[in-house]
Amino acid sequence: MASMTKEHSRHAELKQKAKHELQDYVGISLYLAFFFCALATYSMLLLGKFHISYFTFGAALINALVVAKIIMIGEYARLGKRAETRPLLISAVYKAFMFTVLVLAFHFLEEKARHLVHGAPVEAAPHDVRVNDFLGRGLVVFCTFVPLFAFRELRRVLGEETFRSLFFRSGAMPERKR
């Protein structure tokens, strides 16, 4: 009987954790989708392409989903944890930088995989990545990550309930537990 209760408790805990991670993933994805779609719109307007390109927005949405998963993997690997003892601004900027490097590393690996799929020599992949494109992409990702990680660090310090109350509920704040 005790084993059954323990198993049920473990199952409920795993279910709660999966629900929390899914909410986290959806939240990150929506945040990134907003920025990536705004950037896609800006690029289309800048280039004078006034027709709606569903492919461009579809690629931006897929990119948001992939980058959100990369962030979740990085957090699971505890990337940037040692900066959490520093002031929130330093921690957020440090994590934004570290996760930008992680995203660029995945992008680089994606290019290598693309070369493999298309039969091109893998050694040519580093030469095919344009440095200015790579650095520009890194700058955009970093600038997108700074507010993301600032909010995530604020949530970590305040606690989930207080953070949600501050941003998503009107009225009185719950008492903060010390």
Side-chain angles (χ1 to χ4, degrees):
M1 184 81 163
S3 130
M4 189 103 125
T5 305
K6 196 183 260 187
E7 186 178 314
H8 179 69
S9 174
R10 174 123 170 93
H11 178 71
E13 184 181 310
L14 285 174
K15 189 175 178 181
Q16 184 66 25
K17 186 176 179 180
K19 179 182 173 188
H20 183 267
E21 286 188 14
L22 180 63
Q23 287 174 337
D24 217 17
Y25 178 70
V26 168
I28 294 169
S29 296
L30 289 173
Y31 173 84
L32 293 173
F34 171 77
F35 275 99
F36 292 167
C37 285
L39 187 61
T41 301
Y42 175 72
S43 296
M44 288 186 330
L45 293 174
L46 191 63
L47 296 172
K49 297 180 180 177
F50 297 110
H51 66 281
I52 295 175
S53 172
Y54 295 108
F55 176 78
T56 303
F57 288 112
L61 292 175
I62 290 170
N63 248 350
L65 293 170
V66 169
V67 171
K69 191 61 184 169
I70 292 170
I71 289 172
M72 300 285 291
I73 290 168
E75 286 181 341
Y76 183 74
R78 304 177 58 79
L79 186 65
K81 276 289 193 199
R82 67 179 163 156
E84 290 180 354
T85 58
R86 314 217 64 199
L88 285 180
L89 178 65
I90 302 297
S91 179
V93 171
Y94 179 77
K95 283 187 174 186
F97 176 76
M98 294 302 291
F99 280 84
T100 298
V101 170
L102 181 64
V103 167
L104 291 177
F106 269 89
H107 176 67
F108 188 75
L109 291 173
E110 177 189 11
E111 287 298 318
K112 282 192 168 259
R114 185 175 296 148
H115 274 73
L116 278 174
V117 168
H118 293 292
V122 178
E123 300 80 33
H127 303 293
D128 290 347
V129 175
R130 293 189 313 262
V131 174
N132 58 349
D133 181 47
F134 197 69
L135 293 175
R137 185 182 304 255
L139 181 63
V140 168
V141 169
F142 176 74
C143 290
T144 303
F145 281 1
V146 169
L148 173 69
F149 284 104
F151 279 107
R152 292 181 71 74
E153 287 299 286
L154 188 61
R155 184 182 73 181
R156 178 184 59 79
V157 170
L158 291 176
E160 189 79 34
E161 188 61 32
T162 303
F163 180 81
R164 286 188 186 277
S165 291
L166 271 173
F167 285 95
F168 301 113
R169 294 187 189 121
S170 58
M173 287 275 302
E175 287 295 317
R176 189 152 179 226
K177 298 172 186 149
R178 295 228 178 231

